[in-house]
Amino acid sequence: MASDPTTRIYTIERVQHCDDQQRRHQLDDLLVIEEPMELRIDYAIAGKRASRSLAITMRTPGDDEDLARGFLLTEGIIASEADLVSLKRCTDGQGEESPNIWRATLAASCTFDPGKLQRNFYSTSSCGVCGKASLDALHHQGVMPVAPGPTLNAALLLQLPDLLRAAQATFDRTGGLHACALFNARGELLDLAEDVGRHNALDKLLGRALRRGELPLNDRILVLSGRASFELIQKSLVAGIGLVAAVGAPSSLAVDLSDTYAQTLVGFLRDARFNVYTHPARLT
């Protein structure tokens, strides 16, 4: 098995392939890389500096800095780029960078109380963590209902999944990644992120937007390659996104959350159709 660091893909050799005629032969296959990433945090408390491990997530390597930045934003640890003094890879005892361990140093003015954490931040590649603690945290972060923003032509919305799919370079080679993308009201693709975890892909996307000073994103359309879960809607609301469209189904909690915060939520956006679950006024 060999790794291609430029595309974050493994090549696994001599895999048995069986077709619909039950013919078997050997071939090479491409697999997306999945590795753990640990995020450590350095913060001020009671006039002193403290440090702790904050999260471990299974992710596709690449865009790790923006993944960490997006995670800190959407979990309410930071509210702006000014809350971060530095964000860099940790080093081992010999001064070498550890590729899977990152340290975020918070500004002294950034309030972080580990005693108020309702849960340990542990995310898997399949779904992430959500629940009542996350909903309470969203309210406590001061997240407000989404501003009205622009409207989008429904016929244009139908084209966005194909534009997203056409831009998924790594998915074309592996078939094993989730993706999310930001579009403007003219249907232009502005940014895209891929990851083995759908929540990681969104954190990468929002981390880049934070770094570029683009938040809030109330004039953007977020398109998800899969379903719309509670956690993804929670993250999108932190960024102020007004319209979320998913190729798959939304969950009941996702619909409730979008409705509460005046966000338009679209599901089953495929095969020239879609369902609008909340606040349809953004679609014409």
Side-chain angles (χ1 to χ4, degrees):
M1 185 180 291
S3 172
D4 179 353
T6 62
T7 56
R8 304 184 294 276
I9 291 173
Y10 271 106
T11 300
I12 184 168
E13 299 175 352
R14 310 296 293 174
V15 178
Q16 280 203 9
H17 174 74
C18 183
D19 61 23
D20 57 358
Q21 303 298 318
Q22 298 189 26
R23 294 171 298 196
R24 297 190 181 190
H25 59 276
Q26 303 285 333
L27 51 73
D28 295 344
D29 197 12
L30 300 176
L31 304 178
V32 64
I33 297 174
E34 182 179 26
E35 292 181 353
M37 184 181 110
E38 180 183 359
L39 178 58
R40 299 175 182 175
I41 189 170
D42 183 280
Y43 58 98
I45 184 169
K48 299 179 180 180
R49 301 298 297 187
S51 183
R52 60 172 289 166
S53 178
L54 182 68
I56 298 173
T57 187
M58 301 301 296
R59 96 307 188 191
T60 303
D63 303 314
D64 287 345
E65 183 177 347
D66 286 327
L67 169 59
R69 180 180 279 103
F71 181 87
L72 292 170
L73 172 72
T74 59
E75 292 295 344
I77 307 300
I78 64 174
S80 70
E81 189 72 9
D83 290 332
L84 274 177
V85 173
S86 66
L87 184 56
K88 56 187 179 180
R89 296 185 192 274
C90 294
T91 56
D92 59 23
Q94 287 72 45
E96 296 292 328
E97 287 189 345
S98 300
N100 293 328
I101 305 176
W102 285 77
R103 181 180 300 279
T105 301
L106 303 185
S109 58
C110 183
T111 302
F112 173 70
D113 183 0
K116 292 183 179 180
L117 293 179
Q118 298 293 319
R119 56 182 167 82
N120 292 324
F121 293 112
Y122 181 83
S123 301
T124 70
S125 60
S126 58
C127 65
V129 181
C130 60
K132 186 178 185 298
S134 292
L135 183 58
D136 290 342
L138 192 62
H139 291 307
H140 294 154
Q141 282 175 243
V143 175
M144 301 296 291
V146 180
T151 58
L152 181 69
N153 183 276
L156 186 58
L157 178 64
L158 290 170
Q159 301 174 25
L160 300 189
D162 288 339
L163 296 175
L164 168 64
R165 178 67 182 81
Q168 287 186 256
T170 308
F171 182 87
D172 282 340
R173 302 181 65 188
T174 66
L177 287 179
H178 294 284
C180 56
L182 289 173
F183 293 85
N184 61 23
R186 297 186 298 275
E188 297 168 335
L189 176 63
L190 303 177
D191 201 3
L192 178 142
E194 291 180 296
D195 197 274
V196 71
R198 56 174 62 89
H199 57 293
N200 290 334
L202 186 51
D203 277 340
K204 289 178 179 180
L205 195 68
L206 299 183
R208 284 203 291 268
L210 174 64
R211 174 167 51 84
R212 295 167 179 169
E214 297 172 348
L215 300 180
L217 300 172
N218 61 291
D219 59 344
R220 300 289 188 260
I221 296 94
L222 173 65
V223 179
L224 307 172
S225 66
R227 63 185 178 89
S229 65
F230 173 91
E231 187 189 25
L232 296 185
I233 296 302
Q234 176 192 9
K235 291 177 181 294
S236 71
L237 287 169
V238 173
I241 296 173
L243 197 162
V244 177
V247 172
S251 69
S252 61
L253 277 176
V255 172
D256 290 344
L257 194 58
S258 288
D259 190 44
T260 298
Y261 284 90
Q263 182 185 68
T264 302
L265 178 58
V266 171
F268 295 107
L269 179 60
R270 58 178 186 260
D271 303 325
R273 64 179 180 87
F274 58 84
N275 296 343
V276 185
Y277 293 90
T278 61
H279 300 278
R282 289 188 180 88
L283 291 172
T284 62

